[in-house]
């Protein structure tokens, strides 16, 4: 299908001009075209211009009525395939219990693990589909999804198969990450190292052979996977051609960021507790820092030092971390607001972090994350005349028309 979007008040392209990722002051350069038109042919962006760029005869036309168009958001960190929910923990936190205390007393990741093990593939698919529809309606067109609530070979593979079915069927572009190292399952509570061996000797080779995930992730944290276990998993994954990511410095700074940087993890995510050493390690690496401000809001934790990371020239992405325990909000528009109000990022930086840099954190910035000739036509029209309205007027969905792979969605 071919499509022309005319009369765009602000066409925010986030043009990368050949760069993989934007750093430092580049993050403020959104390359906005005013009074613009956009041509899309066969799912690809083929023309960007002023009002003189007219749709050829017979082409479908959308009148943007002077409003804002952005690239679809790239949510590069989610755990959206899970069963059950954890309102009980939410209420306990309101009474003063911490995330760690709740996990230690039988809640946390293991409670979602049990619900997910008990769920059928069909149930997981259906809830996953509903969550993806909601994200798409809110302007997210590419999503990374982690496994990690199965924690046994069978249950982890069940989740990865659901992700792969969603990837086949859903409009959203989906990328899978294997997070078998999310927590220790009860079967291995007394023998944690054997679970790491199970991941390395059995699960990872299976995931790599069946191409069930492009990335591997590890929750490298006190009480979860230590540095040695994390390194063992990273090395095995790399040997098998699976690219590492890490949950790093969420609850404590124990060297996870430094480890990720040393092994060229494509991204290290969370960073709420990252210190000078972590920043120094990232400065000398090609690893992207992915911050997850929704998690800080929901758990009432401190925010990642996004300002210091950007000012140090470290590439930075923003994602939701959507999951039932620490972050139950799938709106990237809301993440923009938190990035600006809580982490002192400018609206321009926040948008770059949620689009092009998110794409780079998935190794996909050559095809998505910006509006440029030759890229996938994932573009969203908002009911706003100034792009800054989106983070400013928060808590509502400003997205009105979603064009995914060049198709105007009606759902
Ligand atoms: O990214 N930190 C580890 N994993 C998730 C939380 C998982 C859960 O509580 O269910 C996170 O915050
Ligand atoms: Fe996470």
């Amino acid at each position: 299908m071919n499509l022309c979007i005319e009369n765009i008040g602000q066409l925010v392209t986030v043009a990368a001009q050949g760069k993989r990722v934007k750093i430092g002051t580049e993050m403020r350069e959104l390359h906005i075209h005013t009074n613009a038109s956009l041509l899309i042919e066969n799912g690809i962006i083929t023309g960007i211009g002023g009002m003189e760029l007219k749709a050829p005869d017979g082409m479908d036309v959308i009148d943007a009525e002077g409003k804002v168009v952005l690239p679809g958001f790239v949510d590069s960190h989610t755990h959206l395939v899970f069963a059950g929910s954890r309102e009980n923990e939410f209420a306990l936190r309101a009474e003063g219990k911490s995330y760690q205390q709740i996990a230690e007393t039988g809640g946390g990741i293991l409670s979602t693990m049990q619900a997910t093990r008990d769920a059928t593939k069909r149930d997981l698919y259906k809830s996953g589909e509903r969550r993806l529809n909601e994200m798409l309606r809110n302007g997210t067109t590419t999503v990374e999804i982690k496994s990690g609530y199965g924690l046994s070979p069978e249950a982890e593979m069940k989740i990865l198969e659901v992700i792969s079915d969603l990837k086949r069927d859903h409009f959203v572009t989906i990328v899978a990450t294997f997070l078998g190292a999310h927590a220790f399952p009860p079967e291995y509570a007394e023998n944690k190292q054997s679970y790491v061996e199970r991941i390395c000797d059995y699960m990872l080779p299976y995931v790599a052979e069946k191409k069930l995930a492009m990335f591997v992730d590890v929750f490298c944290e006190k009480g979860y996977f230590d540095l040695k276990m994390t390194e063992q998993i990273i090395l095995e994954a790399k040997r098998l051609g699976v690219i590492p990511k890490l949950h790093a410095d969420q609850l404590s700074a124990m060297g996870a960021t430094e480890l990720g940087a040393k092994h060229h993890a494509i991204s290290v995510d969370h960073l709420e507790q990252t210190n000078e050493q972590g920043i120094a390690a990232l400065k000398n690496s090609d690893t992207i820092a992915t911050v997850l401000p929704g998690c800080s809001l929901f758990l009432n934790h401190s925010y990642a030092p996004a300002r210091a990371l950007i000012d140090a020239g470290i590439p930075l992405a923003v994602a939701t971390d959507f999951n039932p325990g620490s972050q139950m909000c799938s709106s990237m528009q809301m993440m923009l607001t938190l990035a600006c109000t809580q982490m002192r990022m400018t609206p321009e930086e926040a948008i770059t972090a949620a689009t092009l840099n998110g794409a780079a954190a998935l190794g996909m910035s050559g095809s998505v994350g910006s509006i440029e000739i030759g890229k996938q036509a994932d573009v969203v029209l908002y009911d706003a005349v100034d792009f800054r309205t989106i983070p400013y007027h928060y808590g509502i969905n400003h997205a009105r028309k979603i064009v995914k792979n060049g198709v105007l969605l009606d759902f």
Side-chain angles (χ1 to χ4, degrees), residues 77 79 86 99 109 149 182 219 247 250 270 295 321 323 325-326:
H77 182 139
H79 306 246
R86 289 164 39 199
Y99 179 79
I109 295 170
Y149 289 120
H182 196 192
F219 187 21
H247 276 68
Q250 181 183 13
H270 273 287
C295 220
D321 193 21
N323 76 78
S326 68

Side-chain angles (χ1 to χ4, degrees), residues 251-273:
L251 308 173
S252 61
M254 52 176 259
T257 296
E258 294 88 319
L259 184 72
K262 172 178 155 198
H263 290 294
H264 303 279
I266 191 160
S267 69
V268 286
D269 302 29
H270 273 287
L271 311 179
E272 288 86 330
Q273 304 296 330

